[in-house]
């Protein structure tokens, strides 16, 4: 029981793609600007297209994963994709600091405690960000690093108890992370089938990523 509670689970999600002789996948020349001279229908080129920064960046843009949420489970912080306790509404004319854990603890009434203690790049300068404050649900929280509103879910219930944090995702960093975790290889040496797999703590999230990856690749 203790091991289960103190250890993060890891899941592998996979899918397969049949690459036809005349693939409709993304254009190699556009992606690599002539760096690859082999024919477009070369299966190995298609693998590189699937794993390219361009493809994965487009996938994440389509998914619009602006934030990631986590909840404290005993001593471990676990991702809660699709079970986020609140919605985050950003200001259209403000860029929130990325990559910082923003700790949220609901308190009495419509209030919450907010705390940040970390480092991030702001205007290309590594900056220490540390503060503690109180916010109010459905009203903007504003300081020199952030401008956002935490919205209660529309279900008529009180905010869920517990400790949470969320992060404004860095799209470039997330793209590189998925590039490193995505595995794509031929199912066997003579096959035209590419098997893609990815390992992560949240299988629903990784499944959605792979589904969108296939969509972006096939639509070209």
């Amino acid at each position: 029981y203790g091991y289960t509670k103190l250890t993060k689970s890891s899941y592998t999600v996979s899918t397969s793609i049949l690459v036809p002789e005349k693939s409709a996948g993304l254009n190699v020349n556009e992606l690599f600007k002539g760096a690859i001279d082999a024919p477009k229908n070369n299966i190995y080129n298609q693998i590189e297209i699937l794993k390219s920064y361009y493809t994965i960046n487009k996938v994440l843009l389509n998914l619009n994963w602006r934030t990631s949420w986590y909840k404290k489970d005993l001593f471990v912080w676990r991702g809660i994709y699709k079970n986020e306790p609140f919605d985050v509404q950003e200001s259209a004319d403000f860029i929130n600091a990325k990559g910082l854990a923003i700790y949220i603890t609901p308190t009495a009434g419509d209030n919450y405690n907010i705390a940040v203690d970390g480092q991030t790049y702001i205007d290309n300068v590594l900056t220490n960000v540390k503060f503690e404050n109180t916010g109010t649900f459905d009203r903007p929280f504003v300081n020199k690093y952030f401008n956002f509103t935490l919205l209660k879910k529309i279900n008529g219930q009180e905010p869920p108890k517990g400790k949470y944090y969320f992060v404004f995702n860095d799209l470039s960093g997330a793209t590189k992370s998925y590039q490193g975790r995505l595995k794509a290889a031929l199912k066997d040496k003579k096959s035209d089938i590419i098997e893609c797999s990815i390992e992560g703590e949240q299988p629903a999230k990784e499944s959605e990523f792979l589904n969108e990856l296939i969509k972006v690749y096939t639509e070209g």
Side-chain angles (χ1 to χ4, degrees):
Y1 174 83
Y3 178 83
T4 301
K5 283 295 183 182
L6 297 175
T7 305
K8 291 186 178 182
S9 301
S10 183
Y11 304 87
T12 299
V13 181
S14 63
T15 189
S16 298
I17 313 167
L18 173 63
V19 180
E21 185 176 347
K22 293 184 179 180
S23 173
L26 293 166
N27 189 284
V28 173
N29 292 326
E30 286 184 9
L31 288 173
F32 301 101
K33 296 182 180 179
I36 299 176
D37 295 323
K40 180 182 176 183
N41 62 0
N42 184 292
I43 192 75
Y44 294 101
N45 287 354
Q46 302 305 314
I47 291 174
E48 292 305 312
I49 291 170
L50 278 164
K51 297 175 65 177
S52 72
Y53 183 96
Y54 177 92
T55 304
I56 294 176
N57 190 259
K58 187 173 182 181
V59 169
L60 297 182
L61 276 171
N62 290 354
L63 291 169
N64 194 30
W65 287 342
R66 290 289 301 128
T67 58
S68 296
W69 278 88
Y70 303 83
K71 182 179 181 180
K72 195 167 189 180
D73 179 14
L74 201 58
F75 300 109
V76 178
W77 290 95
R78 301 187 189 277
I80 49 174
Y81 182 65
K82 294 293 188 183
N83 289 298
E84 296 85 350
F86 315 106
D87 293 320
V88 182
Q89 184 180 75
E90 296 185 70
S91 173
D93 56 357
F94 189 91
I95 300 176
N96 287 290
K98 299 180 180 67
L100 289 168
I102 304 167
Y103 292 90
I104 302 292
T105 305
T107 56
D110 290 332
N111 297 324
Y112 59 86
N113 292 330
I114 178 171
V116 174
D117 185 0
Q119 292 184 321
T120 189
Y121 281 93
I122 299 176
D123 296 329
N124 295 319
V125 177
L126 186 61
T127 305
N128 292 312
V129 178
K130 183 176 182 179
F131 66 84
E132 292 185 20
N133 213 323
T134 301
T136 303
F137 291 109
D138 303 326
R139 295 184 183 177
F141 176 84
V142 181
N143 64 15
K144 63 180 179 179
Y145 307 110
F146 300 104
N147 186 338
F148 63 85
T149 303
L150 283 186
L151 303 173
K152 295 180 182 179
K153 297 287 186 180
I154 306 174
N155 53 18
Q157 298 179 3
E158 286 295 311
K161 302 299 182 183
K163 295 182 178 180
Y164 303 88
Y165 80 81
F166 73 96
V167 177
F168 286 104
N169 292 318
D170 173 10
L171 182 61
S172 177
T175 300
K176 292 175 182 176
S177 173
Y178 270 95
Q179 267 192 296
R181 293 196 292 126
L182 177 65
K183 296 179 180 178
L186 290 180
K187 202 156 189 176
D188 58 64
K189 291 182 180 180
K190 296 182 179 180
S191 176
D192 286 334
I193 297 175
I194 299 174
E195 187 170 61
C196 298
S197 65
I198 192 162
E199 187 175 327
E201 299 169 17
Q202 303 177 79
K205 186 173 185 178
E206 309 308 347
S207 295
E208 196 164 338
F209 169 80
L210 287 182
N211 288 337
E212 188 63 28
L213 175 69
I214 302 304
K215 182 180 176 182
V216 167
Y217 172 76
T218 55
E219 289 181 353

